[in-house]
Amino acid sequence: MDDRMTNTTMGSLRELQKLDDRIKEIRNEVSLFDNRLAMVEEPALKLETELSQLRERLSQMKVDARRLERAADDKRARVDKMEARLTRVSNLREEAAVKTELDLIVKAIAADEQEALHLLDQVKRSEVIEGEIAGRTREARDGVGPQQGALLESREAFLSRLAELRARRLEVLEGVAALQRRVYEAFYQSGRTVVVATLFEDGACGHCFGVIPLQIQNEVRQGEALVRCEACGVILTTEPEPDLDPSLTEPLPGTLAEDLGDSVESVDGEGGAGGGEDTAE
Ligand SMILES: [Zn+2]
């Protein structure tokens, strides 16, 4: 093995570049799917939260109303006892004292009953609202399943394409010498979108269109060294860009990247191309 830049090495680097671009696109697609899946479920989740909070409040109100009714019952029992005592009082002063207490208890009973009625009224109105929200929640939840199914199916197709691209990438890497491989990986991972570009026949760099000095052009044409454009840093080659296997470029169903029509603007904003996290692998 020597480190000479054979034409096939440059061809491999060009294919690597194409594969990596495609991998980046697909990973972006998958993150769009993930965002969309979360969005699809969000309205149902919101309603479910609202419904469970309302139900909690409802049961608390019912407990409170029952407690008030029990308190009123206890007080009524006391009223009975006091009325019995009234028949046994021995003087006016005692009678007045019992009557005053009786009066206070009767007022307290009225207040408890009033409050309980008010609560039961609230319970009734809340139960109507609960019914409405429960209906809307069911509808939202029923709609989630089919939408999620379609999205998950497409996402699966993108993931298996991703696996194919990565497998092909490994195959191509096998044929590239360690040095060139390291140079390529370092360039690509530094966030450079174009690593390898054509040296045009007129001597211009295929990426920045700057004119390459003659001596360097000759080195590129000999294909014996890894030569970079002094202006923009891409690796220059006269090797044509290879076509990827057609199975790797066939369009996949259900793509979201071009789907700008409906409510995905925010998703595109977050998952748009060129995000820093794309260089993670
Ligand atoms: Zn250049």
Side-chain angles (χ1 to χ4, degrees), residues 63-76 112:
V63 167
D64 289 348
R66 270 198 300 277
R67 205 184 52 223
L68 285 165
E69 279 165 350
R70 265 201 312 276
D73 285 346
D74 290 348
K75 289 183 182 106
R76 270 190 285 270
D112 285 350

Side-chain angles (χ1 to χ4, degrees), residues 197 204-210 212 228-234 236:
C205 164
H207 180 54
C208 72
F209 305 112
I212 307 298
R228 298 174 62 183
C229 167
E230 285 176 341
C232 73
V234 298
L236 291 164

Side-chain angles (χ1 to χ4, degrees), residues 13 25 36 76 108 126-127 138 156 244 261:
L13 292 187
E25 273 171 42
R36 179 68 77 87
R76 270 190 285 270
S126 297
E127 277 172 344
R138 261 195 311 279
E156 216 36 58
L244 292 182

Side-chain angles (χ1 to χ4, degrees), residues 84-137:
R85 245 177 84 192
L86 259 188
T87 62
R88 298 191 307 265
V89 290
S90 46
N91 57 49
L92 278 179
R93 180 186 288 240
E94 201 187 334
E95 185 186 351
V98 174
K99 275 188 169 164
T100 303
E101 206 186 332
L102 200 56
D103 197 39
L104 284 175
I105 297 173
V106 169
K107 277 183 185 148
I109 292 172
D112 285 350
E113 282 174 338
Q114 186 63 37
E115 207 181 324
L117 275 177
H118 178 68
L119 265 177
L120 289 173
D121 189 47
Q122 265 189 312
V123 166
K124 234 185 252 168
R125 274 180 292 152
S126 297
E127 277 172 344
V128 173
I129 296 170
E130 184 207 1
E132 283 166 12
I133 296 179
R136 274 162 55 209
T137 305

Side-chain angles (χ1 to χ4, degrees), residues 3-259:
D3 270 348
R4 261 185 345 130
M5 294 292 295
T6 61
N7 280 350
T8 50
T9 298
M10 288 313 296
S12 296
L13 292 187
R14 301 207 82 164
E15 183 172 352
L16 268 185
Q17 159 119 54
K18 272 190 148 176
L19 289 165
D20 280 338
D21 289 348
R22 200 71 198 112
I23 285 170
K24 206 172 181 178
E25 273 171 42
I26 303 265
R27 289 178 57 196
N28 182 44
E29 283 274 1
V30 171
S31 82
L32 290 179
F33 279 114
D34 289 343
N35 289 339
R36 179 68 77 87
L37 279 162
M39 270 172 52
V40 162
E41 202 178 10
E42 200 186 351
L45 283 175
K46 260 191 182 159
L47 283 166
E48 278 159 3
T49 305
E50 197 182 332
L51 188 61
S52 83
Q53 283 167 351
L54 179 61
R55 283 178 173 160
E56 210 171 295
R57 279 202 304 279
L58 249 175
S59 68
Q60 186 58 53
M61 283 192 280
K62 285 176 180 167
V63 167
D64 289 348
R66 270 198 300 277
R67 205 184 52 223
L68 285 165
E69 279 165 350
R70 265 201 312 276
D73 285 346
D74 290 348
K75 289 183 182 106
R76 270 190 285 270
R78 268 186 78 201
V79 166
D80 289 347
K81 272 186 204 155
M82 310 261 325
E83 275 170 348
R85 245 177 84 192
L86 259 188
T87 62
R88 298 191 307 265
V89 290
S90 46
N91 57 49
L92 278 179
R93 180 186 288 240
E94 201 187 334
E95 185 186 351
V98 174
K99 275 188 169 164
T100 303
E101 206 186 332
L102 200 56
D103 197 39
L104 284 175
I105 297 173
V106 169
K107 277 183 185 148
I109 292 172
D112 285 350
E113 282 174 338
Q114 186 63 37
E115 207 181 324
L117 275 177
H118 178 68
L119 265 177
L120 289 173
D121 189 47
Q122 265 189 312
V123 166
K124 234 185 252 168
R125 274 180 292 152
S126 297
E127 277 172 344
V128 173
I129 296 170
E130 184 207 1
E132 283 166 12
I133 296 179
R136 274 162 55 209
T137 305
R138 261 195 311 279
E139 264 171 46
R141 185 44 76 186
D142 288 349
V144 167
Q147 279 191 75
Q148 269 182 341
L151 285 167
L152 286 171
E153 206 173 294
S154 295
R155 184 178 181 277
E156 216 36 58
F158 277 86
L159 284 177
S160 77
R161 172 65 57 81
L162 193 58
E164 288 160 21
L165 286 162
R166 283 181 168 148
R168 175 62 190 156
R169 189 182 194 280
L170 285 180
E171 254 173 51
V172 175
L173 272 179
E174 289 284 304
V176 178
L179 172 70
Q180 281 83 15
R181 190 192 295 197
R182 273 201 304 278
V183 171
Y184 176 85
E185 297 280 26
F187 279 13
Y188 195 79
Q189 274 161 25
S190 73
R192 213 172 247 288
T193 48
V194 178
V195 179
V196 189
T198 307
L199 172 67
F200 289 140
E201 277 190 33
D202 65 1
C205 164
H207 180 54
C208 72
F209 305 112
V211 176
I212 307 298
L214 264 178
Q215 190 199 331
I216 295 180
Q217 287 185 37
N218 288 336
E219 283 177 41
V220 174
R221 295 205 161 92
Q222 280 160 16
E224 286 183 3
L226 198 144
V227 183
R228 298 174 62 183
C229 167
E230 285 176 341
C232 73
V234 298
I235 299 169
L236 291 164
T237 179
T238 48
E239 181 89 351
E241 192 169 53
D243 289 328
L244 292 182
D245 190 290
S247 71
L248 296 175
T249 54
E250 254 170 54
L252 290 168
T255 176
L256 292 178
E258 289 126 39
D259 183 351

